[in-house]
Amino acid sequence: MSGCSLMANAGEEKEKEPVKKENYEKYEADIETKVEKFDKLSIVMHYPETPNDQIDQTVLDYVNEQRSEFKKDSYERVKKKGISAVQELHIDYDVVYEDSATYVVKFNETVTWGEKRKAFDETVLHFEKSNGKKLSLTHFLRSENDYEEIRNYLERTFERKLSEKELNGFTYEGDAFTFFAGNQSVRVNKQEHPEWFKEKFMKKRSDMTERPGSFHAEKEITEIPVTEKMLEEYPVAVMGGPHPKRTEEILRVLEKNDRKAVFFLIGKRVERYPAAVEAIKEQGHAVVAHTWNHRLPERLTEKKESEYRERSVNLLSSITGQQEVLVSGDRVSPEKALINRPDWAGESEAWVKEQLVNSARSNGQLVVSGLNENTPALLREVLLELKDSGSREKDTGREESGAERLAGM
């Protein structure tokens, strides 16, 4: 491996088989999360990974374009306007509609560059499941004449002309289409205009694929902020996750090396992968309600921050059965160790390993990403190196170091 990064990126190596028709109904998508933390930039992108490579490529092109534009705009804000505050790009998503043939995803884009400077946008992508083709409005219509009929109908309703971009800025919801123009929206029910739509879209569709259930607390839950002393008991910190594959691999490494870790978890991912959380607890590791979707806390209103925290805490309590749930604090979080790690992307695995070992020796704590595909292998090698170095230090009669505590000597 010529280069290695230890930032959060999930599932890039996954190989997919072509989707067979009988599997369209079981279109379970994984959650992909990319996190890049720099001194003055925070980039967090959540997006789906489906069984269709073409859909995944289109989605990846979209998020990479958003990332590229954000970094360019950030540079301009610093250069021309002297912006010194941390700038944030956050992309989240919801599957707003899905049936056996169609997959509709809405992305929510948030950009902030100061306490009161922010911008919001939404992007809705429609896909055909069978071939991964990105769908426009014409895909649903009988003819070009119907396209013009809808245009005329909408322009009369909105009382103004619509651009092609606005006309295709719709959301398909199964029974209806919703169109947007500025702050206005119009819902067009298919049954009220059957003459416009292709026959196959007039057939009754199955309900949306069942999503992960909501978890509600039945008893009062006590939130316990993480302290430095607590972290000393779990000198390995795993940031992000859970992940359907990566978490299991990390747990195997920890078990083999007889080490305990504290897992700082993302609520959105916990909701999708509760079994991975159960596996963490079964092996005696600690779990922390770290964040719901990785927004910068200082850019959230107190109400929204409290809502996210309560949602994450209730979710973890419901899965683990704990009435006392660890929560991240502003002052105590190993996440700071991930700052600027995106710069490691072009470095060799040996170089990255050396940085992790040095950091663990100086801080007495090894901080790794719970999502990166390189983490399990690096974790195994770093723990071995720390164990060997800890043995050497112990033989010399030195005072116990952070590395020795980490290695369990």
Side-chain angles (χ1 to χ4, degrees):
M1 182 162 51
S2 59
C4 181
S5 172
L6 207 62
M7 281 306 296
N9 61 332
E12 290 184 349
E13 83 290 352
K14 180 178 179 181
E15 297 181 2
K16 306 182 198 66
E17 297 291 336
V19 184
K20 298 180 180 179
K21 187 173 182 179
E22 59 266 27
N23 292 331
Y24 292 163
E25 289 281 5
K26 300 178 181 179
Y27 212 66
E28 295 183 6
D30 284 324
I31 298 177
E32 294 302 307
T33 300
K34 287 188 179 293
V35 181
E36 296 184 48
K37 296 286 185 178
F38 298 93
D39 291 322
K40 294 297 181 180
L41 289 181
S42 172
I43 301 174
V44 177
M45 303 182 295
H46 304 283
Y47 54 94
E49 183 188 61
T50 75
N52 190 297
D53 285 335
Q54 183 59 47
I55 293 178
D56 290 350
Q57 187 60 56
T58 301
V59 169
L60 192 59
D61 289 345
Y62 153 77
V63 295
N64 284 337
E65 181 180 5
Q66 297 296 316
R67 175 182 178 275
S68 177
E69 290 181 359
F70 167 72
K71 296 188 77 170
K72 178 182 177 182
D73 292 343
S74 298
Y75 175 78
E76 293 297 322
R77 281 191 285 265
V78 171
K79 183 179 179 180
K80 295 183 178 180
K81 300 181 181 180
I83 299 297
S84 59
V86 174
Q87 301 186 57
E88 172 195 28
L89 169 65
H90 187 273
I91 298 177
D92 210 340
Y93 78 94
D94 290 296
V95 178
V96 296
Y97 179 74
E98 179 181 358
D99 59 31
S100 60
T102 314
Y103 191 69
V104 184
V105 189
K106 181 175 74 173
F107 293 93
N108 300 291
E109 304 124 18
T110 303
V111 175
T112 66
W113 59 98
E115 186 176 347
K116 297 182 179 180
R117 299 172 179 177
K118 58 184 65 177
F120 303 96
D121 204 355
E122 293 182 349
T123 300
V124 181
L125 300 179
H126 301 74
F127 297 100
E128 173 68 43
K129 282 185 173 181
S130 62
N131 55 21
K133 181 181 178 182
K134 183 179 174 183
L135 305 179
S136 63
L137 180 60
T138 55
H139 175 83
F140 299 91
L141 305 179
R142 292 178 183 270
S143 68
E144 292 184 7
N145 290 335
D146 297 317
Y147 185 82
E148 293 305 319
E149 285 287 335
I150 288 184
R151 176 194 292 275
N152 294 334
Y153 173 81
L154 293 173
E155 289 182 346
R156 290 195 303 271
T157 304
F158 287 122
E159 298 183 336
R160 71 174 179 84
K161 295 290 185 180
L162 297 179
S163 66
E164 291 296 318
K165 182 178 180 180
E166 288 176 317
L167 194 58
N168 278 282
F170 66 95
T171 301
Y172 177 55
E173 301 162 329
D175 293 331
F177 293 78
T178 300
F179 295 87
F180 305 88
N183 295 324
Q184 296 178 291
S185 64
V186 171
R187 184 177 174 85
V188 178
N189 193 299
K190 292 190 301 184
Q191 301 302 324
E192 295 176 0
H193 300 279
E195 71 279 5
W196 291 345
F197 303 103
K198 293 178 181 177
E199 184 178 354
K200 68 177 182 178
F201 291 109
M202 293 306 299
K203 297 177 181 178
K204 182 170 179 58
R205 294 289 185 180
S206 60
D207 294 334
M208 280 186 60
T209 302
E210 184 179 354
R211 299 291 159 194
S214 299
F215 295 85
H216 304 283
E218 297 181 357
K219 299 180 180 180
E220 185 176 351
I221 300 171
T222 302
E223 298 180 11
I224 302 178
V226 173
T227 65
E228 294 285 0
K229 188 170 183 60
M230 289 179 186
L231 292 181
E232 291 178 3
E233 300 177 20
Y234 299 93
V236 177
V238 183
M239 307 302 300
H243 185 280
K245 179 180 178 182
R246 208 78 62 238
T247 299
E248 180 182 350
E249 295 173 335
I250 292 173
L251 289 175
R252 284 202 298 266
V253 174
L254 292 170
E255 182 179 22
K256 186 174 182 179
N257 288 273
D258 194 25
R259 298 279 74 80
K260 296 300 180 185
V262 54
F263 287 73
F264 287 74
L265 303 177
I266 301 172
K268 184 180 180 74
R269 298 187 63 89
V270 169
E271 185 178 48
R272 179 66 179 84
Y273 307 113
V277 179
E278 293 173 348
I280 294 171
K281 286 300 298 177
E282 286 175 0
Q283 292 197 21
H285 304 288
V287 294
V288 178
H290 179 48
T291 175
W292 177 256
N293 59 6
H294 235 302
R295 283 294 314 276
L296 289 179
E298 61 268 27
R299 301 294 166 79
L300 296 171
T301 63
E302 289 186 10
K303 180 179 180 181
K304 180 58 70 173
E305 185 178 4
S306 177
E307 175 189 323
Y308 281 160
R309 184 174 61 252
E310 181 179 357
R311 193 174 177 185
S312 296
V313 167
N314 288 347
L315 183 60
L316 270 183
S317 177
S318 298
I319 295 171
T320 64
Q322 295 175 296
Q323 297 308 122
E324 295 182 343
V325 176
L326 295 175
V327 296
S328 290
D330 293 335
R331 296 182 180 180
V332 182
S333 174
E335 188 175 39
K336 295 177 182 177
L338 298 180
I339 297 294
N340 295 330
R341 283 199 187 175
D343 291 335
W344 295 6
E347 302 292 345
S348 68
E349 183 177 341
W351 185 90
V352 173
K353 174 185 171 182
E354 182 181 5
Q355 303 310 305
L356 291 173
V357 169
N358 291 339
S359 176
R361 283 173 174 164
S362 60
N363 300 322
Q365 184 173 58
L366 175 60
V367 183
V368 296
S369 164
L371 299 173
N372 191 281
E373 63 181 309
N374 299 311
T375 294
L378 278 167
L379 178 60
R380 180 170 52 251
E381 294 181 16
V382 171
L383 287 178
L384 180 60
E385 173 67 24
L386 290 169
K387 184 175 182 179
D388 290 343
S389 64
S391 296
R392 291 192 296 271
E393 290 185 13
K394 186 175 181 180
D395 290 341
T396 63
R398 297 178 182 176
E399 182 179 350
E400 185 181 57
S401 67
E404 286 178 320
R405 291 193 300 273
L406 180 61
M409 302 304 298

